[in-house]
Amino acid sequence: MFAVNPTTPVKSNIAGDRRLRSITGAGDNGMNRKRTYVRLRERGSVRAAISREDKAVESSVPVQRKEVNKSLISPSPSSSSSGGIDVRAVVTIRKKMKEKLTEKVEDQWEFFVNGIGRGIQIQLISEELDPVTKSGKRVESCVRGWLPKPSNNLHIVEYAANFTVPSDFGCPGAVLVTNLHGKEFYLLEIVIHGFDKGPIFFLANTWIHSRKDNPESRIIFRNQAYLPSQTPRGLKDLRREDLLSIRGNGKGERKPHDRIYDYDVYNDLGNPEKDDLARPVIGGEKRPYPRRCRTGRPPSKSDTHSETRIEKPHPVYVPRDETFEEIKQNTFSAGRLKALLHNLIPSLAATLSNSDIPFSCFTDIDKLYTDGFYLKDDEQNEGRRFPIGGDFMKQVLSVKERLFKYEVPAIIRRDRFAWLRDNEFARQCLAGVNPVNIELLKEFPILSKLDPEVYGPPESAITKELIEQEINGMSVEKAIKEKRLFLLDFHDILLPFVDKINSLPGRKSYASRTVLFCTNRDVLKPIAIELSLPPSPSSPRNKRVYTHGHDATTHWIWKLAKAHVCSNDAGVHQLVNHWLKTHACMEPYIIATHRQLSSMHPIYMLLHPHMRYTLEINALARQSLINGGGIIEASFSPGKYALELSSAAYKSWRFDLEALPADLLRRGMAVEDPTMPSGVKLVIEDYPYATDGLLIWSAIKEWVESYVEHYYSEPNSVTTDNELQAWWDEIKNKGHPDKKNEPWWPKLNTKEDLSGILTSMIWVASGQHAAINFGQYPFGGYVPNRPTLMRKLIPQENSHDYEKFMLNPQNTFLSSLPTQLQATKVMAVQDTLSTHSADEEYLGQVNPLHAHWTNDHEILESLNKFSSRLQEIEEIINRRNKDIRLKNRSGAGVPPYELLLPSSGPGVTGRGIPNSISI
């Protein structure tokens, strides 16, 4: 192999190189961070862009790692007569797993260009200050050829650059990388060999842009964390410039190679050029909302407040390292293909007619899992023209395989009729996909907080006498005192939207309240359902109450009432608890973390694995799921008012109540108990989401507290951390500006404050999202169990519909559910959203490619302790699922509660806690 070994710096081709020398040269005794890397974007001035370890290499692409010395310190200097120290930088690059012929030809050209030293330029920056330049000492070289020992993986290429550094050079703290090729490449890491204390790691896992796209180079720091006040003098300017580059100037349209993080309102969901797809701006005083990542696309001609739409297959901008890796792209695209084909080809299969018809019998639903769908000839031809189908689509069509055959959902796999029973309806309030809306009934009568001038009397139509009749004569006062009455309340959130929803074709909805009772055997059961419509002149109190009854007619009416409650639950789950409270609320935390915390900041390093893929999946959702006319509008009750409803729910959102113990206390599902590890005791002990969730919460809290204690042991270290204070200030004032004046925002003065804030963020990104996301298909894949919309109101006596209901109640029930096309659409989406990618990174696990994310032994020991605790929790949960006393997670036909089991394999497993919101 060939390697250049200059004793004098090679002439740099980097734009603004002189300025770079003045700010990068200064020594940095505390290099970079976890798995961080840096790249530069803003033109005209040197900007170090923190490239993020986000992009883990696929699990199927193993890379042999060199053993790192655990103590990275400066090498012992050679004598001045020695002429310097010979060191080598090993540069590891990942190639695409699947390449086109033209790309393979380009690779050969890149190999040649790199081999002769004209492809990748490396500058090694010392921590030590040069007394003349007042910047870090540096040497330059170019990669040449290949290492004598080739990589053990076809997709990994290793190059080397040799340097001779002065004997007093000190420890290298940063590497400056310039890509002289015409296209970007993916840098895994750079390891410096030759210093006395062993190899020095510069983790990258980042895209290095081409110099033709951005003349500035990328900075990659070594794996050392520093608080701002501890930053070595040689890195202070570089640290500051790095953050400036990431923030951008808030102007212009972002380019695919950019890594600019900034904020904007949700003004890109609709298409004002088409009246039926125009949507209001979400975010601001009228419709408050968290902010999303700014793309800078030009305004629409019809509405200057809205951004122009960009449709599939063209991507929505996210900072370059936020995009999916190759394995993730393949996983998501295969599932997305199902959903999009359902959307694009209305007459999807031979079993569906050209008109969108309801299910005629339960056998029609069963066929989704037993027979699947065959595409017609004309649909095959249309499928071949589908822009993202690719080889997968062609292969399926050529052999006429059953592309749309669904797996049997977990909810009916063991017991096909479980969904019919009241105890299963109640069980799913505690152990289903949306176990976060049930609350303790604390007072009676049940009152609305809506304006009575608009929405009528605030009192619920559920009376004391009715409840006492359903609980065998026990007084309501006693039941409330003994904490045995519970409420599923969707009244206030939905009633303002009911008239709008019911004006949409094929949509009929109520605002519901459901009262549940905990029996002497600790079994929860629904006892009364109130379904409300907005008041009208003829019906000022437009509320009806239903109970399970004791005859065939009331039983079928009760089933319809439960279906309407499930539809309410599905909409609130998807638009509020899932999208708003995890995806949308997490996005400002991620943007602020990149903008205000240097990649060498310890809190950046802590949060980094919990930010992976989130901006990309949110951008895809804005493009295909929550957009005007998208899957959510087409498949869920609120329709075109979906995001307006989500905005209405945000008005009551509070950061301080997103912590699991605080949320349980707010809902009355727990009481304070200092003797418990989490500080709370559950009102219902057999509450799987809460019991398992508190184990995960406590483990996260312990890990975060040990991490924060390690870096913030000095008094006032939190308040004097200017980056940290700017981060928290920006989250409140720019990320959630419609809430910035709320008094409930936690203070950030102590390490306890910091630990609490971070624990909540990590819980939301990991455990909370897992609990309400990965059960979507297992519970929602069977439409009668969890209809996402209802198409008919409950028939009333003396009406024509009531006569039809009496003659064929099953037909009335099925025709009230989503149609066959609506159902298969949403099933495809739920299947996709419930799928783990093969490159998923789970809570407490460290990707082998990130083994050297830090050189701090104490932190690594704390992480190992956290990982071990999660393994113990998995064993505890498995034992609970076999405990016959726990009726909500075991029993005949009862699926075990596994949504908070930490680990999982790929696919729709109904278990596993990824580090981040990655789907």
Side-chain angles (χ1 to χ4, degrees):
M1 89 160 234
F2 302 95
V4 74
N5 187 4
T7 54
T8 58
V10 175
K11 179 177 176 61
S12 172
N13 292 320
I14 302 170
D17 189 51
R18 288 183 187 170
R19 182 175 176 186
L20 182 63
R21 297 180 190 201
S22 69
I23 56 178
T24 61
D28 164 14
N29 293 327
M31 318 321 125
N32 193 289
R33 54 307 142 90
K34 166 173 180 174
R35 356 167 180 187
T36 250
Y37 16 101
V38 203
R39 96 182 174 197
L40 303 125
R41 285 214 197 267
E42 283 294 320
R43 302 173 190 268
S45 64
V46 174
R47 308 282 192 209
I50 337 172
S51 200
R52 316 161 346 69
E53 117 238 315
D54 261 309
K55 304 314 158 196
V57 173
E58 296 84 319
S59 57
S60 62
V61 187
V63 181
Q64 188 172 3
R65 291 298 189 190
K66 299 86 181 173
E67 187 66 23
V68 64
N69 191 303
K70 299 190 185 300
S71 178
L72 297 182
I73 59 176
S74 300
S76 301
S78 305
S79 64
S80 58
S81 61
S82 68
I85 305 168
D86 293 333
V87 299
R88 169 176 290 185
V90 177
V91 180
T92 305
I93 294 172
R94 189 191 71 206
K95 310 302 293 184
K96 289 181 66 175
M97 297 174 65
K98 295 181 180 179
E99 291 186 309
K100 300 176 183 177
L101 179 60
T102 55
E103 291 173 325
K104 292 180 180 180
V105 172
E106 289 175 352
D107 283 349
Q108 296 304 313
W109 174 248
E110 287 182 14
F111 294 158
F112 172 75
V113 172
N114 287 335
I116 62 174
R118 297 296 180 89
I120 303 173
Q121 187 179 67
I122 302 292
Q123 298 183 44
L124 208 59
I125 311 297
S126 171
E127 296 178 356
E128 302 296 328
L129 281 173
D130 186 311
V132 177
T133 65
K134 303 301 180 183
S135 61
K137 300 174 183 177
R138 70 172 193 154
V139 293
E140 300 179 6
S141 183
C142 291
V143 301
R144 287 181 179 269
W146 294 266
L147 290 178
K149 181 180 179 182
S151 168
N152 62 350
N153 189 282
L154 294 175
H155 307 295
I156 302 299
V157 179
E158 293 178 329
Y159 297 100
N162 288 355
F163 301 82
T164 296
V165 302
S167 58
D168 61 349
F169 184 78
C171 183
V175 175
L176 185 62
V177 182
T178 306
N179 176 10
L180 305 178
H181 293 289
K183 66 176 185 178
E184 64 184 2
F185 64 82
Y186 194 87
L187 179 64
L188 287 172
E189 70 176 6
I190 297 176
V191 184
I192 308 297
H193 298 270
F195 290 99
D196 288 351
K197 298 300 181 180
I200 302 173
F201 290 86
F202 296 78
L203 298 183
N205 297 300
T206 182
W207 290 98
I208 304 295
H209 61 266
S210 168
R211 188 177 60 171
K212 73 179 181 62
D213 291 325
N214 185 341
E216 294 164 355
S217 302
R218 287 291 304 282
I219 299 293
I220 300 172
F221 295 104
R222 78 174 175 98
N223 57 344
Q224 175 79 37
Y226 285 106
L227 296 176
S229 61
Q230 299 167 343
T231 310
R233 287 184 300 163
L235 291 185
K236 286 185 176 180
D237 287 343
L238 183 60
R239 182 170 183 153
R240 182 166 53 251
E241 290 292 327
D242 186 31
L243 289 173
L244 288 175
S245 73
I246 291 170
R247 295 170 194 161
N249 59 12
K251 300 178 181 179
E253 183 173 357
R254 299 270 58 93
K255 303 298 188 294
H257 62 269
D258 281 342
R259 58 184 290 273
I260 306 297
Y261 295 78
D262 204 353
Y263 303 95
D264 207 343
V265 293
Y266 282 74
N267 62 353
D268 62 342
L269 301 179
N271 185 351
E273 314 302 329
K274 299 179 181 179
D275 290 341
D276 60 328
L277 294 180
R279 298 292 182 269
V281 173
I282 305 296
E285 183 178 355
K286 187 175 181 180
R287 297 181 183 89
Y289 219 60
R291 297 307 190 252
R292 50 96 172 175
C293 186
R294 179 184 178 275
T295 66
R297 293 197 302 272
S300 166
K301 294 179 181 179
S302 301
D303 179 5
T304 57
H305 297 291
S306 294
E307 200 170 76
T308 52
R309 287 281 300 167
I310 182 168
E311 303 294 349
K312 305 179 291 287
H314 303 292
V316 176
Y317 167 80
V318 293
R320 183 63 182 98
D321 285 332
E322 303 290 340
T323 56
F324 288 163
E325 291 298 322
E326 197 170 355
I327 280 186
K328 180 71 170 181
Q329 287 175 343
N330 294 339
T331 300
F332 186 73
S333 293
R336 182 173 58 175
L337 180 61
K338 282 185 183 180
L340 294 181
L341 279 175
H342 280 78
N343 198 28
L344 294 177
I345 309 175
S347 46
L348 175 65
T351 52
L352 293 181
S353 71
N354 290 328
S355 61
D356 197 3
I357 60 174
F359 293 104
S360 61
C361 61
F362 286 97
T363 304
D364 287 343
I365 302 175
D366 295 339
K367 286 180 178 179
L368 297 174
Y369 320 111
T370 57
D371 296 346
F373 293 105
Y374 293 91
L375 296 180
K376 296 177 182 177
D377 291 339
D378 58 337
E379 290 163 344
Q380 293 180 35
N381 293 331
E382 188 168 355
R384 290 190 178 99
R385 297 193 297 271
F386 190 50
I388 70 167
D391 295 337
F392 170 72
M393 187 62 188
K394 293 176 183 176
Q395 179 183 0
V396 171
L397 293 175
S398 65
V399 297
K400 297 187 179 180
E401 288 290 343
R402 296 175 179 178
L403 176 62
F404 298 105
K405 180 178 177 180
Y406 292 97
E407 294 293 325
V408 178
I411 189 59
I412 60 167
R413 191 177 302 147
R414 298 185 180 197
D415 184 350
R416 288 184 59 198
F417 305 106
W419 66 276
L420 282 167
R421 295 193 293 269
D422 286 353
N423 67 322
E424 178 60 24
F425 174 93
R427 190 190 75 85
Q428 290 182 35
C429 295
L430 302 170
V433 70
N434 189 38
V436 296
N437 273 106
I438 188 171
E439 57 185 289
L440 183 71
L441 183 58
K442 301 176 183 178
E443 57 186 22
F444 202 85
I446 304 168
L447 299 175
S448 168
K449 296 179 181 178
L450 297 175
D451 184 354
E453 295 294 324
V454 178
Y455 298 104
E459 295 84 7
S460 167
I462 300 175
T463 64
K464 177 180 177 182
E465 292 74 21
L466 185 147
I467 291 179
E468 291 176 349
Q469 177 183 326
E470 295 296 322
I471 59 177
N472 301 321
M474 176 187 287
S475 70
V476 167
E477 291 79 9
K478 182 179 180 182
I480 289 176
K481 182 178 180 180
E482 295 182 1
K483 294 181 170 58
R484 295 176 67 176
L485 286 175
F486 298 86
L487 184 65
L488 200 61
D489 192 349
F490 301 119
H491 180 275
D492 285 10
I493 181 62
L494 288 175
L495 191 60
F497 292 91
V498 166
D499 276 346
K500 294 180 180 180
I501 293 170
N502 291 347
S503 68
L504 299 172
R507 305 290 169 96
K508 295 301 176 185
S509 181
Y510 298 97
S512 67
R513 290 189 181 104
T514 305
V515 175
L516 304 100
F517 177 68
C518 189
T519 69
N520 291 330
R521 297 182 179 181
D522 291 330
V523 174
L524 200 63
K525 68 174 185 178
I527 59 174
I529 294 174
E530 177 193 71
L531 300 180
S532 300
L533 297 171
S536 65
S538 60
S539 299
R541 188 177 175 84
N542 212 348
K543 305 175 182 179
R544 291 179 179 269
V545 178
Y546 302 90
T547 60
H548 53 76
H550 302 282
D551 60 81
T553 302
T554 53
H555 270 299
W556 272 109
I557 293 289
W558 177 245
K559 288 178 178 65
L560 285 168
K562 287 196 298 180
H564 275 282
V565 173
C566 289
S567 175
N568 283 181
D569 189 83
V572 171
H573 162 259
Q574 194 67 265
L575 294 165
V576 180
N577 299 327
H578 180 212
W579 167 255
L580 168 65
K581 291 189 175 182
T582 62
H583 285 261
C585 285
M586 193 70 196
E587 186 152 346
Y589 311 154
I590 295 170
I591 297 171
T593 299
H594 284 283
R595 286 169 54 88
Q596 296 298 340
L597 297 182
S598 167
S599 56
M600 66 178 70
H601 197 291
I603 301 307
Y604 177 96
M605 296 170 62
L606 174 69
L607 289 176
H608 196 271
H610 306 291
M611 303 187 292
R612 183 176 186 243
Y613 290 157
T614 303
L615 296 191
E616 171 79 342
I617 195 63
N618 285 4
L620 288 168
R622 300 201 312 274
Q623 189 177 41
S624 302
L625 294 178
I626 64 170
N627 59 302
I631 298 294
I632 299 301
E633 286 193 1
S635 305
F636 287 79
S637 285
K640 63 188 291 186
Y641 305 104
L643 261 288
E644 292 184 60
L645 187 150
S646 189
S647 170
Y650 179 66
K651 293 177 182 178
S652 61
W653 177 86
R654 294 177 50 159
F655 179 89
D656 61 326
L657 297 181
E658 293 306 292
L660 178 58
D663 175 61
L664 293 170
L665 290 170
R666 175 187 65 83
R667 291 189 283 123
M669 299 303 292
V671 294
E672 293 185 357
D673 186 344
T675 66
M676 302 296 287
S678 57
V680 299
K681 180 180 179 181
L682 295 174
V683 171
I684 297 178
E685 293 185 7
D686 187 12
Y687 185 0
Y689 159 76
T691 54
D692 295 358
L694 287 172
L695 290 176
I696 300 296
W697 168 273
S698 297
I700 294 172
K701 182 172 181 285
E702 183 179 355
W703 153 240
V704 169
E705 286 177 345
S706 66
Y707 190 96
V708 169
E709 174 64 34
H710 180 74
Y711 288 105
Y712 291 91
S713 56
E714 297 298 322
N716 302 320
S717 54
V718 170
T719 55
T720 57
D721 185 336
N722 62 297
E723 285 185 10
L724 188 68
Q725 294 297 325
W727 167 76
W728 186 233
D729 182 74
E730 183 162 296
I731 285 173
K732 294 181 291 185
N733 291 292
K734 291 188 176 182
H736 289 269
D738 304 325
K739 295 278 189 176
K740 64 183 179 182
N741 295 321
E742 298 286 356
W744 41 253
W745 284 104
K747 304 296 182 184
L748 183 53
N749 297 325
T750 67
K751 59 189 177 185
E752 290 77 17
D753 296 338
L754 178 59
S755 294
I757 290 168
L758 294 172
T759 301
S760 290
M761 289 181 178
I762 293 173
W763 160 252
V764 168
S766 57
Q768 180 68 8
H769 180 259
I772 60 179
N773 180 72
F774 293 105
Q776 290 192 73
Y777 186 79
F779 286 96
Y782 187 67
V783 179
N785 179 66
R786 193 171 176 78
T788 55
L789 61 82
M790 295 293 283
R791 300 192 303 126
K792 294 181 179 180
L793 297 177
I794 295 178
Q796 301 301 314
E797 293 184 32
N798 302 321
S799 69
H800 178 65
D801 287 339
Y802 193 81
E803 293 177 12
K804 293 169 63 177
F805 161 70
M806 294 296 288
L807 291 173
N808 192 339
Q810 175 180 289
N811 183 68
T812 297
F813 181 84
L814 290 172
S815 63
S816 298
L817 300 179
T819 64
Q820 293 191 33
L821 183 58
Q822 289 169 331
T824 51
K825 272 186 186 181
V826 79
M827 287 169 64
V829 174
Q830 289 172 334
D831 178 77
T832 300
L833 297 181
S834 302
T835 299
H836 289 293
S837 173
D839 72 337
E840 198 80 89
E841 295 180 2
Y842 295 95
L843 192 63
Q845 298 179 1
V846 176
N847 190 304
L849 298 175
H850 303 150
H852 302 296
W853 66 274
T854 181
N855 60 7
D856 193 306
H857 300 292
E858 188 172 330
I859 290 299
L860 291 173
E861 288 175 4
S862 293
L863 178 59
N864 288 334
K865 183 179 179 181
F866 177 49
S867 300
S868 297
R869 177 55 182 158
L870 289 172
Q871 292 176 7
E872 294 172 1
I873 290 172
E874 189 151 318
E875 294 173 2
I876 293 170
I877 293 174
N878 285 329
R879 288 198 299 270
R880 287 175 174 175
N881 285 330
K882 296 177 182 178
D883 189 337
I884 60 174
R885 296 170 298 175
L886 302 177
K887 306 300 183 184
N888 289 322
R889 61 196 313 156
S890 66
V894 176
Y897 186 76
E898 298 181 327
L899 290 172
L900 285 169
L901 278 171
S903 68
S904 176
V908 182
T909 64
R911 58 176 290 171
I913 305 176
N915 272 322
S916 61
I917 300 170
S918 58
I919 190 64

